[in-house]
Amino acid sequence: MAVRWIVAALCATASLTPLAAQAPDAGPAAVANPANWPATRSRGLIDAETEAAITRLMARMTLEEKVGQTIQADIGSIKPEDLSRYPLGSILAGGSSGPLGAPDRSPAGPWLDTARAFRTAAAARGGAAVPIVFGIDAMHGHGNVVGATIFPHNIALGAANDPALLRRIGEATAKEVAATGIEWAFGPTVTVPRDDRWGRAYEGYSEDPAIVRAYAGEMVRGLQGDIARGGMIQAGRVAASAKHFLGDGGTTNGTDQGDTRIPEAELAAIHAAGYVPAIEAGVATIMASFNSWNGSKLHGNASLLTDVLKGRMGFDGFVVGDWNGHAQVPGCTPTDCPQSFNAGVDMFMAPDSWRGLFDTTLAQVKSGVITRARLDDAVRRILRVKYRLGLFDAARPAEGRALGTPDHRALAREAVAKSLVLLKNNGVLPIKASANVLVAGIAADDIGKQSGGWTLSWQGTGNTNADFPGGTSIWAGLKSAVEAGGGRATLSPDGRFTAKPDVAVVVFGEEPYAEGLGDIPNLEYQSGDKTDIALLKRLKAAGVPVVSLFLSGRPLWVNPEINASDAFVAIWQPGTEGAGVADVIVGDANGRPRADFRGRLSFSWPRTAAQSPLNKGDARYDPLFAFGHGLTYASAARLGVLPEVSGIDQSTVATRRLLKAGRLAPQARFATTGAVTMTPVDADSIQEAGRRFAFTGPGRATLELAAPVDMRFYANTDLALLVDYRVDAAPAGAVRLRLGGGAVDLTPTLSAAPVGAWRSVKVKLKCFAAAGADVQAVREAFALDAAATATVSVKTIELVSENEGAICPTS
């Protein structure tokens, strides 16, 4: 689910896509013909007794109660007592929404208390008193909850190529979700990513629809149980949600929420591959996708949601929207969208817009804009799932059971070991457990970084090892394995040592990210910051054999890093059980393998940074490492020196880091007007790290983008503009911060700041939109307006996902 969705113009180390590049080309029609799609039917969702019970219940429901069933609110924007006035059918916890009255990063107890509070409130509201259903993202385990088992992300599981493993992971995930009183997991993600620049590529199992097809049904059975053979989704099981329907992995340029411009036959053959087995396994819900197909938003495409999915493919569960996804349909707003409901979305995901959407939807049913028959169809589908979940029973028996159990952690460790892909081994692996091992890299002892996005927060950032009780970092796993064999392991993040080690293991890779912020303009790793390659080369120059463990959510161009390594292993984003890495790369005391490499690439590995999209079966398929590649300890081939020309002109690549550590984004420039002068300023031991703006009267200092950027969807995100500033002379008048023409008042902030001290301010992007910013075509990414004298230095201008402490001052 896109629990904090943003315009695809922003990416995590990442590009700001010019508006012109986003405009859809004229292409094939966006009306699907059901005859061109596979025919199947849901199994296990419908039985005569349940349908009769639903009919009786619906006869007692008021119109308001029926409309309420179709709306889902986020727990960050609703309280249990609101249910007495608004009889909503569902709540969710978004990627950065914590339990009631508790920190966002909380263990199971507060989550269970939250679920019970909403359930009690729903039962007490009188009338039909239909139970509420609580949904949450469980992308790779119950990732919102402290103490849960975090499994490897899907890209890693695809490399394991083990459908039975997926079912076991689904079972464990369901038990941990159910333990917190939550009945619905937003998964599995059955996308087929076709462009690795997409920031959600790691949520897909493979670029090959065959692997996705083999996995989808097994994960559904793991989460729900084998309801296709009869039975309820209870006793440690949860409702599943196959997502995102349809084509989210096929957008042009890998742009999140972009346009999938392909023929219908390709959409059906590639991107629908996981839905047939999911439906046949009895998947309870399917989530609509943010993206468009040939210019038509999926949230408003009746031919796909109704004619294909519910008709030809026989889906009997309900379709849930994504995070205010209905608002992206032309003519809609977050609080007004009959088009989406009439197209086939049965339940709106209206995290913060639920109140207004309830009122307008109720009015539209009364006026006939939405027919009573359409409403009844949606309500029946929702109630069908609630009955199958046993929500009308007194209690769900799995509540309160422990998370992070030893058997679940052992399963996650097994999954890590099975997912590792060996790309190079010039004789250094396996490591002798009796050796003197140096473990380097800032990621070596960082469980948060090794877990990736959708981990305790939306983007997976801001975590420390203390947030993962019971988890094991890669360093801790290596240390344990080496010491068990009589060797010695030393942690040195910067790779410095006094006594020369026998081998160095360097752990490095991508920072955690999720949708939107994870989009990148090309596949080059660390195009600007060369910290990791410098560390590898320094160790090589000292005559130390180097083993590189590469953390990433996709294949990237890392030829320089591979060349500087004696062994190179793609370890993806392994989650909390980092010991699974040592299980494979550390042998016994004599250097004999304890376990072999089993992982094989489920995504093609690029030969150049410009080689995207790159997929098995392409007419000019020429990867560095082909789909299915992966060495074992028996492999005899040694990898030679690889070319180190990326194929990318980085001077043309924009970034969300507009000003950082002295670097100005290539597609951005400063300009001044009025009574202001701009000079360089040093900071953090970096010459000319920022700019000083000295206002002698009214003036403006602006950071302009070379091309306009579409930021229309920022109003639905928690992204913030971060500015590191220093007041060098207190303002004598008003100072406003601007973006896209929208201005907020910074005068109180700057006036309160001590002169001469660096401070940070974060302003939510939605605040600029509320202040009148033209977010459809932003060129003014930052501006300071001063009405009188003031001197302010700035060293960082950056878009960030962590918005704790963010403000929303008035204009």
Side-chain angles (χ1 to χ4, degrees), residues 432-435 479-488 586-590:
K432 288 184 179 181
S434 56
K479 181 176 185 290
S480 177
V482 170
E483 291 181 349
R488 183 177 68 180
V586 178
D588 63 17
N590 297 312

Side-chain angles (χ1 to χ4, degrees), residues 289-366:
S289 186
F290 278 123
N291 67 281
S292 303
W293 173 49
N294 294 329
S296 172
K297 280 291 180 182
L298 264 295
H299 274 72
N301 193 309
S303 70
L304 286 170
L305 294 178
T306 297
D307 301 341
V308 169
L309 180 59
K310 296 177 180 178
R312 177 72 169 178
M313 298 177 76
F315 175 57
D316 291 327
F318 71 84
V319 174
V320 62
D322 209 333
W323 187 275
N324 275 335
H326 57 276
Q328 297 189 23
V329 175
C332 289
T333 70
T335 58
D336 184 355
C337 194
Q339 298 94 316
S340 188
F341 193 76
N342 287 334
V345 171
D346 300 303
M347 180 182 285
F348 291 107
M349 186 181 290
D352 53 0
S353 58
W354 56 271
R355 185 179 279 104
L357 188 61
F358 174 88
D359 292 337
T360 56
T361 304
L362 178 62
Q364 287 155 1
V365 174
K366 289 180 177 179

Side-chain angles (χ1 to χ4, degrees), residues 786-802:
T789 59
T791 303
V792 180
S793 294
V794 173
K795 66 177 181 178
T796 302
I797 305 171
E798 184 177 9
L799 298 171
V800 297
S801 60
E802 288 295 313

Side-chain angles (χ1 to χ4, degrees), residues 658-675:
L658 300 168
L659 176 65
K660 185 83 168 179
R663 294 190 178 93
L664 188 64
Q667 297 301 304
R669 69 179 185 88
F670 279 110
T672 60
T673 57

Side-chain angles (χ1 to χ4, degrees), residues 48-95:
E49 182 179 351
T50 299
E51 295 303 305
I54 293 171
T55 299
R56 292 192 296 271
L57 176 59
M58 290 180 64
R60 295 191 291 113
M61 293 174 68
T62 66
L63 188 60
E64 288 77 8
E65 287 173 324
K66 288 181 178 180
V67 170
Q69 288 301 300
T70 70
I71 294 177
Q72 180 185 62
D74 182 75
I75 60 173
S77 300
I78 190 172
K79 300 183 185 307
E81 52 265 32
D82 290 326
L83 296 180
S84 64
R85 165 67 179 84
Y86 294 92
L88 303 192
S90 180
I91 55 171
L92 81 149

